[in-house]
Amino acid sequence: MIQHFGTAAGRKVISALEREGYEAVFVGGSVRDHLLGKPAKDFDIATSAEPTEVKAIFPSTVDVGIAHGTVLVLIDGEAIEVTTYRTEGTYSDHRHPDEVRFVRSLQEDLARRDFTINALAVTLEGELIDLFGGKNDLEQGMIRAIGEAAERFNEDALRMIRAIRFAAVLDFTIDEKTCHAIREQKALLRHVAVERIKAEMDKLFTGVNPGKAFDYAVHTQLREDLPLFPQDSTTLGKTAPYETALEGWASLMAVGNFGPSEMVRAYKLSNREKQFLHAVDDMMEKRKVRPYTVEDFYTYPMDVLIVCEKLVRKLMPGAEPVSFEEMERRKCDLPIRSKAELTVRGSDLISWAGVRGGQWTGEWLQKIESAVLHGKCINDPDDIKGWFLNEFNREE
Ligand code: ATP
Ligand code: MG
């Protein structure tokens, strides 16, 4: 028995569905995480009610995936995913079921899920429903496909990435038969939309043990069918754990010696991810040949610098490491954080020099920026004026 599982709002949703004569249970990740003693994220609910029936019961709902049977119920300030029990027909494209069929039996719904540990359900009374030995697998730290593993990966090839993702996130072992099936079916991964692979990799990178997933990617040969993956997965493993998924992507790039644009294309990364990878790549290239400069601290955000330094430590044993405290201090000590913080404008230079404005103003503003950054003058109009007139008259 699991007393008082779920949130008050989630329990209210189940009560309301039951009151109308339907079945409803908490299912999936929240049950798994609870049994592992971890805080659960989303308390998803599965129900025998069809989407229209769910919508008739609750005043406030959002259609988030009606075709797949999912309705978002908004209640007491919470948004709860309620999904109709369903089975999936055949999968001729290895990624989408040809049809989704709503059913009235929880057993059928649980059987279409990927792994035993993800097919556990809890009733409002606190009864654990465990039809596939998921609890035992949780205790053993085992990821095991439900039913015939090869068939399950053949239906939806993304499940292979999900297997290694859960290995990283939970630090679990993948059952040998399931591993074997991945080796057999890995080529099907190319039918899967890269966005779905990417979303699983984001979770994989921030898991407690990404190295484990990398080892499985090698062991099952799955890496050969990933869009881009380094040959040297042992070194990649050494760069883990990662504080953010971005750090994971940067490591994949650095260890595999891939270019940032290549990474962006292969995994359809977002603009923010693209910017980050380009910045890390630039910084790494410079760091390979020299220590950090004031310009580096001025140019790159702290997260880029930290990820770069972490990679330098792991991948360039000859380079002298710099402590994160020292890096923070050097960033903090910068006299300005951007050009906008300069206390002078182009118009000031024009009036001081008594020369008409032109290309020279921009060039001199840049020189002033650099002079302030290097402490040759302080960021104060009078001080800058003195420095500027001296230099300007000398050069012009
Ligand atoms: P997380 O805590 O990382 O969100 P999760 O188990 O909740 O993990 P989701 O991707 O949110 O994972 O999926 C919710 C549930 O839906 C899973 O627990 C599993 O039962 C089922 N599921 C998700 N994706 C698949 C899939 N590709 N094939 C079969 N079942 C799946
Ligand atoms: Mg989830």
Side-chain angles (χ1 to χ4, degrees):
M1 289 296 267
I2 305 176
Q3 298 295 335
H4 295 288
F5 186 81
T7 59
R11 298 175 63 80
K12 235 179 182 174
V13 170
I14 297 186
S15 291
L17 285 159
E18 286 184 345
R19 214 175 309 120
E20 297 298 322
Y22 301 109
E23 274 180 35
V25 290
F26 291 109
V27 71
S30 66
V31 182
R32 179 197 66 220
D33 291 346
H34 176 87
L35 290 175
L36 287 171
K38 293 184 178 184
K41 287 181 296 247
D42 314 303
F43 288 90
D44 297 340
I45 291 171
T47 180
S48 61
E50 293 203 0
T52 47
E53 296 168 329
V54 173
K55 285 168 66 171
I57 296 174
F58 301 98
S60 185
T61 62
V62 185
D63 294 356
V64 282
I66 281 274
H68 300 102
T70 304
V71 172
L72 206 57
V73 174
L74 307 177
I75 184 166
D76 297 348
E78 281 187 46
I80 295 168
E81 267 193 21
V82 178
T83 305
T84 305
Y85 295 163
R86 62 185 169 97
T87 60
E88 293 165 357
T90 45
Y91 287 70
S92 24
D93 62 359
H94 313 291
R95 56 186 161 176
H96 300 118
D98 299 333
E99 53 157 8
V100 167
R101 197 160 51 81
F102 299 139
V103 293
R104 298 282 183 186
S105 118
L106 173 61
Q107 174 164 4
E108 277 186 84
D109 181 82
L110 294 178
R112 60 108 183 148
R113 292 172 186 268
D114 47 6
F115 305 110
T116 60
I117 57 169
N118 287 345
L120 293 161
V122 175
T123 66
L124 196 58
E125 291 70 41
E127 186 199 347
L128 179 71
I129 300 172
D130 177 13
L131 305 179
F132 304 101
K135 184 159 183 274
N136 187 51
D137 282 340
L138 269 183
E139 284 158 5
Q140 305 295 316
M142 190 66 76
I143 295 158
R144 189 192 313 274
I146 295 173
E148 208 42 64
E151 214 172 282
R152 306 313 308 285
F153 295 142
N154 188 21
E155 289 168 359
D156 181 0
L158 182 73
R159 290 171 186 156
M160 297 187 279
I161 299 284
R162 286 175 60 85
I164 67 167
R165 180 271 259 203
F166 285 111
V169 170
L170 305 174
D171 203 2
F172 272 24
T173 304
I174 304 178
D175 150 68
E176 195 37 56
K177 260 194 184 158
T178 303
C179 263
H180 185 77
I182 296 178
R183 210 171 294 127
E184 259 174 34
Q185 306 288 344
K186 66 189 185 64
L188 297 177
L189 200 59
R190 77 185 119 82
H191 297 286
V192 176
V194 70
E195 290 88 341
R196 295 178 77 208
I197 298 177
K198 195 256 167 191
E200 294 295 335
M201 301 262 291
D202 279 338
K203 294 188 176 176
L204 184 164
F205 284 138
T206 49
V208 287
N209 193 357
K212 205 161 197 170
F214 304 148
D215 289 344
Y216 276 120
V218 175
H219 176 64
T220 62
Q221 298 167 7
L222 191 60
R223 68 156 168 199
E224 293 165 17
D225 294 271
L226 278 163
L228 270 188
F229 201 79
Q231 278 301 315
D232 186 358
S233 60
T234 313
T235 301
L236 181 59
K238 284 191 190 134
T239 65
Y242 310 120
E243 237 156 274
T244 61
L246 271 176
E247 186 183 342
W249 290 108
S251 298
L252 197 73
M253 169 178 78
V255 174
N257 241 320
F258 304 122
S261 305
E262 199 181 0
M263 290 284 298
V264 169
R265 231 176 300 118
Y267 284 101
K268 295 204 183 162
L269 302 182
S270 68
N271 273 334
R272 155 142 179 72
E273 288 157 342
K274 175 178 168 175
Q275 268 179 7
F276 188 85
L277 290 191
H278 276 278
V280 170
D281 187 59
D282 280 351
M283 185 63 251
M284 290 278 291
E285 285 304 311
K286 293 176 190 156
R287 183 71 175 88
K288 276 180 194 162
V289 292
R290 60 155 177 75
Y292 296 108
T293 64
V294 169
E295 276 81 8
D296 296 337
F297 289 100
Y298 183 62
T299 308
Y300 299 108
M302 205 59 211
D303 55 353
V304 167
L305 292 163
I306 296 280
V307 164
C308 176
E309 180 59 21
K310 281 188 180 175
L311 287 169
V312 164
R313 289 180 194 177
K314 299 274 170 53
L315 306 178
M316 297 165 48
E320 183 74 25
V322 181
S323 76
F324 297 144
E325 292 75 29
E326 158 98 6
M327 294 178 77
E328 291 278 2
R329 192 184 53 69
R330 289 184 69 182
K331 182 93 180 165
C332 261
D333 285 353
L334 289 173
I336 49 170
R337 278 162 299 175
S338 71
K339 203 172 211 144
E341 286 186 3
L342 280 181
T343 53
V344 302
R345 299 277 164 273
S347 52
D348 297 319
L349 306 193
I350 292 166
S351 80
W352 294 337
V355 178
R356 268 174 45 161
Q359 205 186 332
W360 71 268
T361 41
E363 286 165 11
W364 274 92
L365 273 177
Q366 212 156 355
K367 288 185 194 177
I368 290 169
E369 184 185 18
S370 171
V372 169
L373 213 48
H374 287 276
K376 289 182 183 147
C377 57
I378 57 174
N379 187 23
D380 163 274
D382 288 336
D383 209 56
I384 291 175
K385 183 179 179 185
W387 180 88
F388 165 72
L389 285 176
N390 194 21
E391 296 289 314
F392 186 77
N393 291 329
R394 206 153 51 86
E395 279 193 27
E396 300 299 311

